[in-house]
Every structure is written in C-alpha cells, then in structure tokens.
Amino acid sequence: MADQAFVTLATNDSYAKGAMVLAKSLRSHNTSRKLVALVGPHVSDSFRNVLSKLYDEVRLVDVLDSGDSAHLALMKRPDLGVTLTKLHCWTLTHYSKCVFMDADTLVLSNVDELFEREELSAAPDPGWPDCFNSGVFVFIPSSETYGRLLQFCSETGSFDGGDQGLLNSFFSSWATADISKHLPFIYNLSSIAIYSYLPAFKQFGGDAKVVHFLGKMKPWNYSYDPETKRVQGDSSEHESVHPHYLLKWWDIFSTSVEPLLKEQFGDQPFDSGSHHDVDRIQEAVSRVHVAEPPPMPEMSSQERKQKWEQGQADYMGMDSFENIKKKLDSFLK
Ligand code: UDP
Ligand code: GLC
Ligand code: MN
C-alpha cells in the first residue's frame, strides 16, 4: 500500500498545527498508508521540521489564490481563496490513489477502507447536500486532471471562491451519477451538523470516524488548560464546535504534538507563528471590496404595483420618499 496516501494542506503555521494533530490521529489508528503534507512557503522552517517528523513526505507547493473577494465575502470567509492550493494534490502522481483530508479534520478510527472508493468520492456538504464537502475526498493523482482543473478554474472560476465550489462544478455528476461515490456522513462529520440535526447526531454520531471542525473557529483558536483539561474560547463561537471532539483534538495536541514543538523551539514560544495568520487574514480582508449592488432590472409599473401590494416596496430606491414626492409633484403640476 506504499503507493497510496492520505494528503493534507497547510499554508501557514496555524493550519500546520491542525495537520500535526491529523497525522497523529491517523497514525494512532494504525493506518497502513503514507502521509503527505502539502505546505505553502509561509509555513516556517521550524513547523516544517516538526511536520516532517509526522509525515512521510512534506512537499512545498505554490499558493494558488482565487482572490475572488465577492464570493468569499458571501461565505464570510475572506481567507479561503488560498484553498485552491489544494488542487496541487492531483500532482502527487507517484501515488495511485489518495484521500485528501482538510487540516481541520480529526480521525477517530481507522479509515483505510476509503481507498476502496473511486474518484471523486466525498460526503455531502451539510449546508447544501447536493454538493459534496471538499474537506475529505478520494481522488486519483493525474497531471492530466490537474491541468484540466486549472484550465476549468481559469475559464469558469469557483462559485464559492474556494476549492469546494470549483470541485463541485468540475465533478458535477457527483450528486446524481453513482451513489458509491457518496461517502457516508460519518467520514466527514462537521460540527455544524451536530446542532442542525441533533436527534440524528444522537442516533448515528457514535459511529463517527472523521470529525471536521468546519467554520471560522478552529480548535487551535481556543486556549486549553492541560491541568483541568478544559477549553476556553469566545463563548458566542463556542457552540459551533462540539466540546467532546474539541477536547479530543486538544488532548492529542497537548500530549503528542506540543512536546515535538517544544523540542524544536527550545525556550522560544512557538505560538509566535500564528501572528503571521492574523497578518494574512487582515491582508485578505483588506482585499475584499464591498461590491456595488448590481443594478436592479427595469420593472414595469404593473410589476411595481404588485410588489407594493405584496409589501415589497423598494423604500431605499425606486419607491423612496423622495421619488414618491417627485411623482406626486408631477401630478399636481
Ligand atoms: N487552508 C490552509 N490555509 C488557509 C486556509 C485553508 O492551509 O489559510 C487549508 C487547510 O487544509 C484547511 C483547508 O484548506 O483545512 C480548507 O479550509 P478550512 O478548513 O478553513 O475551510 P472550512 O472547512 O472551514 O470551510
Ligand atoms: C468548505 C470546505 C473546505 C473548502 C472550503 C472552500 O466549506 O469544508 O474544505 O476548502 O469550503 O471552498
Ligand atoms: Mn475544513
């Protein structure tokens, strides 16, 4: 099985922490496959060194960025343009088959059976289940597919500004063509789904094999007290992540990853790396231009009347007080 691998991506030191916990979780459940981390040039040398203790291969890749501020702003995630860097995973052609896993995923049991699936297999996205979530997917590395993906990206773009929009448009038959390419949800259980369908989580959650900390708040954004084994964070964000899985992530981090980082950094604080992230997010936010609202299509007076009657007057535009006054004035002249 040396020609099959789990692959992840980290473009900065924070996501690299996630990648470290992911590797530990895969190894502790005795995977027989290789582990590959794709890293961007912003990952510091020290973090790269630690990654290479946990991964069979750490490969430096260029950051591909959609810079698509309008779509990314819709998702409220200006930072996700860089996720197009994921596409590099198709260039790992020395493997015959791979499973990509986001750096914010955590494995709860052995998932090597995923390699029995074909390209492109993935679980439904909890927000729009006719799309797959690109946090966990089975794929076949191929220079040809990689080239086609880049071509497609430059012609069509991505409807969410990140890899998931692009991959869903590219592998567009996923929703309908072959049910065996639908991974069960337990291979990509996102914390969001726990709250949106709690009874199902109570019924099936015990079988979860992979947890995905999808959303803005990631495990490494919380602080953890190893003495009391408690996690602290912004309480408003707290409920987006299930406390049990969050503790599990932190337990692996503090017992198996932190010692490696401490060994690497000696007396120096290794958290300084995360400041890069703040800079990068701010940089990304500053790129987001608030787009002008698109011009309203011309409406006939009949349509406008209907809108009025349905209580949908355009108070800020056509039906503003100013415009109504003008109209009345013209009648009175
Ligand atoms: N990622 C990264 N750097 C970033 C943002 C994302 O390396 O600045 C990678 C990382 O592997 C991450 C994946 O892209 O897990 C997808 O992003 P994220 O998990 O934040 O998206 P979500 O699952 O929350 O939608
Ligand atoms: C998603 C996926 C993530 C992907 C992002 C951008 O919500 O969980 O893996 O990178 O969208 O498309
Ligand atoms: Mn993710």
Side-chain angles (χ1 to χ4, degrees):
M1 294 307 165
D3 70 336
Q4 298 186 334
F6 286 99
V7 182
T8 193
L9 163 70
T11 65
N12 56 44
D13 288 354
S14 294
Y15 279 94
K17 286 184 193 169
M20 290 170 190
V21 170
L22 170 63
K24 276 284 174 192
S25 71
L26 282 160
R27 297 253 190 242
S28 71
H29 294 103
N30 304 318
T31 179
S32 59
R33 295 339 196 255
K34 292 273 197 266
L35 304 189
V36 179
L38 305 176
V39 294
H42 292 280
V43 176
S44 64
D45 289 343
S46 308
F47 271 68
R48 247 182 259 181
N49 282 343
V50 175
L51 280 170
S52 51
K53 292 184 180 153
L54 298 167
Y55 280 82
D56 296 295
E57 194 182 335
V58 177
R59 178 183 277 229
L60 181 64
V61 292
D62 312 323
V63 171
L64 304 173
D65 189 341
S66 71
D68 184 347
S69 47
H71 285 130
L72 292 162
L74 270 180
M75 280 208 295
K76 300 199 171 68
R77 292 292 301 278
D79 51 323
L80 287 187
V82 296
T83 65
L84 288 181
T85 313
K86 244 188 228 183
L87 301 184
H88 281 293
C89 69
W90 266 275
T91 65
L92 298 168
T93 50
H94 47 306
Y95 297 104
S96 63
K97 190 185 277 187
C98 295
V99 173
F100 182 90
M101 302 191 70
D102 266 10
D104 61 343
T105 57
L106 174 68
V107 165
L108 306 174
S109 61
N110 186 292
V111 290
D112 287 357
E113 68 273 17
L114 284 174
F115 290 90
E116 289 161 20
R117 305 270 178 161
E118 286 168 34
E119 174 173 277
L120 185 291
S121 294
D125 184 85
W128 198 269
D130 284 344
C131 289
F132 58 83
N133 181 275
S134 61
V136 177
F137 61 89
V138 183
F139 70 99
I140 308 275
S142 143
S143 312
E144 196 218 322
T145 312
Y146 179 64
R148 281 172 50 221
L149 276 163
L150 291 188
Q151 175 78 15
F152 187 81
C153 188
S154 67
E155 285 165 3
T156 319
S158 160
F159 67 76
D160 69 3
D163 62 292
Q164 181 163 307
L166 177 80
L167 292 174
N168 270 278
S169 305
F170 189 82
F171 294 101
S172 61
S173 65
W174 175 85
T176 51
D178 180 354
I179 195 69
S180 73
K181 293 183 179 174
H182 285 223
L183 296 180
F185 201 59
I186 51 168
Y187 288 98
N188 186 350
L189 174 70
S190 37
S191 351
I192 288 165
I194 299 172
Y195 296 94
S196 55
Y197 196 4
L198 189 59
F201 176 67
K202 286 190 171 153
Q203 181 75 3
F204 306 113
D207 301 331
K209 288 173 185 265
V210 178
V211 181
H212 185 182
F213 297 96
L214 187 150
K216 222 165 42 183
M217 201 59 186
K218 300 300 185 196
W220 51 86
N221 297 133
Y222 294 83
S223 55
Y224 178 71
D225 181 347
E227 301 282 305
T228 59
K229 296 199 183 296
R230 290 176 74 126
V231 173
Q232 271 189 330
D234 176 354
S235 58
S236 64
E237 301 275 6
H238 216 85
E239 70 159 25
S240 61
V241 180
H242 193 284
H244 170 75
Y245 298 129
L246 193 56
L247 281 173
K248 193 148 209 149
W249 189 96
W250 270 103
D251 185 43
I252 299 177
F253 184 79
S254 65
T255 57
S256 317
V257 171
E258 216 162 22
L260 296 176
L261 286 167
K262 283 192 174 142
E263 193 181 294
Q264 174 71 36
F265 279 80
D267 288 339
Q268 293 194 326
F270 53 79
D271 262 338
S272 57
S274 59
H275 295 310
H276 287 307
D277 288 347
V278 176
D279 291 345
R280 285 174 49 69
I281 288 173
Q282 277 167 350
E283 176 203 328
V285 170
S286 66
R287 280 204 314 261
V288 176
H289 306 291
V290 178
E292 287 283 323
M296 293 291 281
E298 285 289 325
M299 224 189 277
S300 70
S301 51
Q302 184 59 30
E303 282 170 320
R304 270 179 73 198
K305 182 163 170 280
Q306 266 180 6
K307 289 253 176 209
W308 256 100
E309 285 164 3
Q310 291 161 359
Q312 295 171 4
D314 178 15
Y315 294 111
M316 306 299 282
M318 294 246 276
D319 306 314
S320 69
F321 178 71
E322 224 19 61
N323 281 348
I324 293 172
K325 188 164 168 289
K326 267 190 214 149
K327 191 90 182 167
L328 288 174
D329 285 347
S330 74
F331 286 136
L332 292 174
K333 266 181 199 155

